[in-house]
Amino acid sequence: MSNVENQGPSKAVFPNKALYFLALVFVFVGIINSTPQIPGWEEMWRSMTGVKDFKVNNFATEWFYPIAFLVMMVIVAMKHSMWREWQGTSRAAFGLFMDVALVVSAVAISITYLVEIDSVCIVDLMNGDRARLIAESLKAEIQFAEDYGLPVPDSVDDPKCISTTGIWLVVIMGVSMIVFLGYNIKVWGLPLVLVALAVALYTIGTVFVWYFHGPDDINKYFMTKLGGEPRTFLDGRPNVHDALVNNASGMLGRFMHVILNVVFPYIILGAMFGKSAGGQALIKLAFRWTRNLRGGPAHAAIVSSAMFGTITGGPVTNVLSTGVLTIPMMLKRGFSPTFAGGVEAAASSGGSIMPPVMGVAAFILAALTATPYGDVIVAATIPAIAYFFCLFLTAMFQSRKQGIEAYGELTPDMRVTRTDILHLMQIFLPILLILILLLSKKDVVGCGPLGWLLGVETTTIDGVCHAGSLPWLLQIYQNAAGDAGATGWWGAGFVILLLFLDKEFRKTPRLVLDALAESGITVSTLYLMFLAVTVIDVCLNFTGLSKFVAVDVLRFLLALDLGSGDNAYMMFVALMITMLLAVLLGMGMPAVPAYINVALLMGPLLIGLGIATFTAHMFIFYFAVASAITPPVALAAFAASSITKADPMATGFSAVRSGIVMFFIPFVFAFYPEILLIDQALIDPASPDKAFLPGYENGVETMPLLWLLAKLVFALYFIASALARFDRIALTMPWVVIRLAIAIGVLMRPEMIHFTAIGLGIVVLVLQSMAGRRAAAV
């Protein structure tokens, strides 16, 4: 998942030693904070240090988050320094100002957070007011309990801070966010900042409308939660305070938690993979596996990108890593530059949807939907397989079209040596460990063969196995089971051990430190992006815009009277609108903000139409990823065109043709959520007791699922051949349209339609197969 390429220490990654050591210290502190729970771990450290209250993980977030935030912003300023980049130009002074402003703003936010949050109140803590307030509150609580014969309390809730920043809080937050957004332009590009600014200016506009117009007779789109009566701008301070300290949606809230406790270990994992030679071995293995297929290098590009993509999670990184080898091979075999670049971009983008490690956006999806990451992996499996299967078909039809035959021969550079096997173990074994841990259930640890071998006593109650006291090893296993963060740390640690099995790596052990430092830089840079996303999240909460949009779009769809009230047609139109919005917002920006922005705006609409919350978010997630190959700003395709030297826009359209199923499969699981395999995809969002959607009362049933998968394979065959405009023979435009119509008809719900489409499809295949044989005979 790291976006840092495979390289040693260099000026490009570490401009100075101070950055290197600061990033290392930050990573080590993050590791200590998030270390998986190991029985006796803290007791061991306490005995070694002699400090009774020594803590080696799970630091108090109210202290740790502001400090970590400050360090991350200092790292960003050192890595992406505007002054250093513009040194010697007329913009150098402005660059220095922005560097200093970023650090000063981070200091101001961190201190303000400690001043404002009720669990710290640092000014009150220093002047003694906090101790006095706690003592007075506790005394009052004890007196109340004694008067009414209640249990005597020994603690009280955190009192409100007395000494705060007052109205200066609004100024500090406003100026700091302007600085953070300004720096985002430099690091993450203008599109993300433009969206954040548009939402922020809209929110400010609603405040001014309320202030000058009053609260009565205001259009709902101009209402604000920041106001009260009498109308003064001071009324908004509590909301700004909440935007800073709220654990769920505040500036140092859920995104900080996800980054530091869940995403962090996988970024380290990706950086460690980057220091191994496993990537090259994966590509060699892909060429070996696909040498007997007509697509040859194209199929190798798909296989290697699928395997490599689940490591990097970044489309552009994937293209630049695997494409430098696969694209020249495709060109050598006769594939056109636009097709070669397009299929590589499409395959590399698929890495972001390929389990088990799909990228940062997938972890955010798990957090926003409160779904265990192990279940996200299960849900993503069939759609990912369908995507890469369709890419395989695309390469097959293109090779038929161009008359490219299978290479067949096992060349020396395809031979897998013992060293290659070791390098592959450094990739596959940690991923296998991650899969085992993520898919394990905590409550069944000790009930299997491993528990029996270790002598665990088990009891069965109502057919459910319960394990007794677990030995040390199984306690560690249980702590990590199903926990994405803990699993990531074990995976990262396992990779480090495997790297040292390679004698070449043992010659340069400093590469481990380099990878850790690179991870610290990547995490810090990611959080700068999340600050822009937080602006959007907070502002939408202030205005209620997403709720109003959802309600009005629903009313609009009802007014159209599509299908005389048939919800399926309304759902389709709403899904199309969501798709367009996701692709538009995703242009030129990473998948994470694109996904979050559309989820905030359109998620309520899809859920209101009866789509399960998880399915709605999965739908949006797919199109956020698809934006990487969608013109006019197709970042992955543009990266591929830099290798092929083909026209970037033509490469982008080629990538869309190759990866069209990424635009198709979300509609399939929106209407057929059983394809996601998990219960969360079947829950009726309108049900207070989390009942399943109508028609899915029995959950996922095997035979209907298998029939659906068979229809999906049939449809994908027709889609891939239609877009390649070739099967056994070249396809004219009318046949292309017919094949696309058949593909859609096969997956439509009425039996009359999909059985007719299947029959028509079989007739088309027979007729064109016969035409192909006649053409070959001539």
Side-chain angles (χ1 to χ4, degrees):
M1 276 176 45
S2 172
N3 289 325
V4 181
E5 293 179 46
N6 184 6
Q7 56 187 336
S10 65
K11 188 175 181 181
V13 179
F14 309 117
N16 51 61
K17 292 182 179 178
L19 172 61
Y20 182 82
F21 288 110
L22 181 61
L24 268 182
V25 170
F26 171 64
V27 170
F28 281 125
V29 173
I31 291 173
I32 292 171
N33 174 65
S34 300
T35 300
Q37 294 179 3
I38 301 175
W41 181 252
E42 283 195 342
E43 289 76 6
M44 180 187 73
W45 279 101
R46 288 170 183 170
S47 63
M48 291 173 60
T49 61
V51 179
K52 182 179 179 181
D53 297 325
F54 190 87
K55 197 167 182 63
V56 294
N57 60 9
N58 296 328
F59 300 146
T61 58
E62 59 266 31
W63 288 98
F64 181 63
Y65 283 0
I67 295 172
F69 172 71
L70 173 58
V71 173
M72 284 193 287
M73 292 305 101
V74 172
I75 289 174
V76 169
M78 296 173 70
K79 173 65 174 73
H80 301 280
S81 171
M82 294 186 184
W83 172 77
R84 186 178 60 248
E85 183 171 327
W86 294 338
Q87 200 169 8
T89 69
S90 59
R91 295 184 293 175
F94 177 72
L96 179 61
F97 168 77
M98 287 300 295
D99 291 346
V100 173
L102 179 65
V103 175
V104 170
S105 297
V107 171
I109 290 294
S110 298
I111 294 175
T112 304
Y113 180 89
L114 293 173
V115 169
E116 295 287 341
I117 191 166
D118 293 337
S119 57
V120 176
C121 298
I122 193 169
V123 177
D124 294 348
L125 188 67
M126 291 187 294
N127 63 22
D129 282 341
R130 183 168 179 79
R132 177 179 57 80
L133 288 173
I134 292 176
E136 291 176 355
S137 297
L138 182 59
K139 181 179 179 181
E141 291 286 343
I142 292 173
Q143 183 63 51
F144 180 84
E146 290 176 347
D147 290 344
Y148 289 90
L150 300 173
V152 177
D154 56 3
S155 63
V156 292
D157 293 336
D158 292 321
K160 294 289 184 182
C161 303
I162 297 176
S163 302
T164 66
T165 55
I167 192 57
W168 287 104
L169 171 65
V170 179
V171 177
I172 293 169
M173 286 282 286
V175 173
S176 296
M177 292 315 302
I178 291 173
V179 173
F180 296 145
L181 290 176
Y183 227 88
N184 260 291
I185 296 175
K186 163 70 167 54
V187 178
W188 289 104
L190 187 59
L192 172 60
V193 176
L194 286 178
V195 174
L197 283 176
V199 176
L201 290 175
Y202 164 72
T203 303
I204 294 171
T206 63
V207 175
F208 277 101
V209 168
W210 158 79
Y211 182 75
F212 289 106
H213 182 275
D216 300 322
D217 301 321
I218 297 181
N219 182 284
K220 62 184 176 182
Y221 284 101
F222 293 110
M223 295 176 64
T224 180
K225 296 178 184 177
L226 288 171
E229 288 295 329
R231 298 197 304 277
T232 68
F233 286 123
L234 288 176
D235 293 329
R237 188 192 183 282
N239 300 87
V240 177
H241 170 271
D242 185 66
L244 175 65
V245 302
N246 190 303
N247 289 331
S249 58
M251 185 182 294
L252 305 183
R254 60 182 172 185
F255 292 140
M256 178 69 82
H257 168 75
V258 173
I259 281 288
L260 291 183
N261 297 318
V262 181
V263 175
F264 203 169
Y266 293 93
I267 290 177
I268 293 177
L269 183 74
M272 291 300 170
F273 281 146
K275 296 304 178 186
S276 78
Q280 298 297 319
L282 280 176
I283 295 172
K284 179 186 289 190
L285 189 64
F287 275 104
R288 181 186 178 95
W289 285 348
T290 60
R291 70 184 187 278
N292 293 318
L293 299 175
R294 297 185 63 162
H299 286 126
I302 295 166
V303 173
S304 59
S305 294
M307 294 188 296
F308 198 79
T310 196
I311 298 169
T312 64
V316 175
T317 304
N318 205 349
V319 168
L320 298 177
S321 299
T322 61
V324 292
L325 292 177
T326 58
I327 287 176
M329 289 295 292
M330 281 189 275
L331 297 178
K332 185 178 179 181
R333 292 294 306 280
F335 288 104
S336 67
T338 52
F339 175 80
V343 77
E344 175 60 47
S348 295
S349 297
S352 298
I353 61 172
M354 186 67 184
V357 184
M358 299 184 289
V360 178
F363 290 103
I364 300 300
L365 182 150
L368 293 183
T369 60
T371 303
Y373 191 70
D375 288 346
V376 175
I377 289 176
V378 173
T381 299
I382 291 179
I385 292 173
Y387 179 74
F388 284 101
F389 171 71
C390 193
L391 283 180
F392 251 78
L393 292 176
T394 300
M396 180 184 72
F397 291 128
Q398 186 69 23
S399 61
R400 285 182 184 176
K401 184 178 182 179
Q402 296 187 220
I404 299 172
E405 297 296 333
Y407 190 77
E409 182 183 348
L410 183 64
T411 60
D413 59 353
M414 294 181 189
R415 298 190 184 279
V416 178
T417 65
R418 292 179 62 183
T419 303
D420 291 327
I421 293 174
L422 175 61
H423 293 159
L424 289 170
M425 287 173 57
Q426 295 170 353
I427 301 292
F428 287 127
L429 290 182
I431 290 178
L432 180 61
L433 174 66
I434 289 171
L435 275 173
I436 292 172
L437 291 177
L438 282 178
L439 298 179
S440 297
K441 303 296 184 184
K442 288 184 182 293
D443 53 356
V444 299
V445 171
C447 289
L450 185 59
W452 178 77
L453 289 173
L454 295 176
V456 177
E457 295 183 3
T458 61
T459 57
T460 303
I461 303 174
D462 296 330
V464 179
C465 173
H466 297 273
S469 58
L470 299 176
W472 184 79
L473 179 63
L474 287 184
Q475 286 184 48
I476 296 175
Y477 181 20
Q478 188 180 60
N479 288 335
D483 187 324
T487 296
W489 288 117
W490 285 115
F494 192 26
V495 172
I496 294 174
L497 290 178
L498 292 173
L499 288 176
F500 278 98
L501 296 179
D502 185 354
K503 64 180 181 180
E504 295 299 325
F505 188 87
R506 290 198 299 270
K507 295 177 181 178
T508 54
R510 184 188 166 182
L511 289 176
V512 171
L513 297 180
D514 295 341
L516 292 175
E518 291 169 12
S519 303
I521 293 172
T522 303
V523 169
S524 303
T525 308
L526 272 175
Y527 200 72
L528 179 69
M529 176 184 70
F530 277 109
L531 290 176
V533 176
T534 300
V535 171
I536 299 169
D537 188 10
V538 168
C539 288
L540 288 179
N541 286 335
F542 285 161
T543 60
L545 177 65
S546 55
K547 179 182 70 175
F548 299 141
V549 168
V551 170
D552 284 349
V553 173
L554 278 172
R555 287 177 178 171
F556 169 73
L557 294 176
L558 289 170
L560 293 178
D561 194 26
L562 297 169
S564 300
D566 191 337
N567 190 51
Y569 292 98
M570 288 193 294
M571 186 184 298
F572 178 75
V573 175
L575 291 171
M576 286 294 295
I577 295 172
T578 304
M579 178 194 76
L580 293 173
L581 189 60
V583 171
L584 287 172
L585 285 179
M587 288 181 181
M589 71 172 70
V592 175
Y595 158 65
I596 296 174
N597 294 344
V598 181
L600 293 173
L601 278 174
M602 300 301 291
L605 169 63
L606 299 184
I607 294 167
L609 282 169
I611 298 177
T613 300
F614 177 84
T615 307
H617 279 258
M618 193 73 169
F619 181 90
I620 295 166
F621 165 72
Y622 253 69
F623 286 109
V625 173
S627 64
I629 60 171
T630 309
V633 189
L635 296 180
F638 291 174
S641 68
S642 70
I643 301 173
T644 63
K645 309 303 179 185
D647 178 66
M649 199 62 67
T651 304
F653 285 112
S654 176
V656 170
R657 284 196 299 272
S658 296
I660 192 65
V661 73
M662 193 179 287
F663 298 85
F664 177 75
I665 198 69
F667 286 91
V668 176
F669 62 66
F671 286 98
Y672 298 96
E674 65 266 33
I675 204 172
L676 298 179
L677 300 178
I678 62 173
D679 289 345
Q680 292 91 327
L682 305 177
I683 295 175
D684 187 348
S687 172
D689 56 352
K690 296 186 177 181
F692 285 169
L693 291 164
Y696 296 101
E697 290 81 4
N698 297 322
V700 179
E701 298 184 27
T702 303
M703 293 309 298
L705 176 63
L706 292 176
W707 173 236
L708 172 61
L709 294 179
K711 292 193 297 180
L712 179 60
V713 170
F714 195 76
L716 292 179
Y717 184 94
F718 277 83
I719 290 173
S721 59
L723 293 178
R725 299 187 66 176
F726 198 91
D727 191 346
R728 299 294 177 181
I729 58 173
L731 302 177
T732 60
M733 186 54 66
W735 282 115
V736 168
V737 173
I738 289 172
R739 287 195 171 221
L740 291 175
I742 289 172
I744 295 172
V746 164
L747 291 170
M748 294 187 71
R749 280 193 181 276
E751 292 183 357
M752 180 66 72
I753 294 178
H754 72 240
F755 278 122
T756 302
I758 292 172
L760 181 59
I762 293 173
V763 171
V764 167
L765 289 178
V766 171
L767 290 176
Q768 293 188 339
S769 178
M770 293 171 59
R773 284 197 296 269
R774 286 196 299 268
V778 174

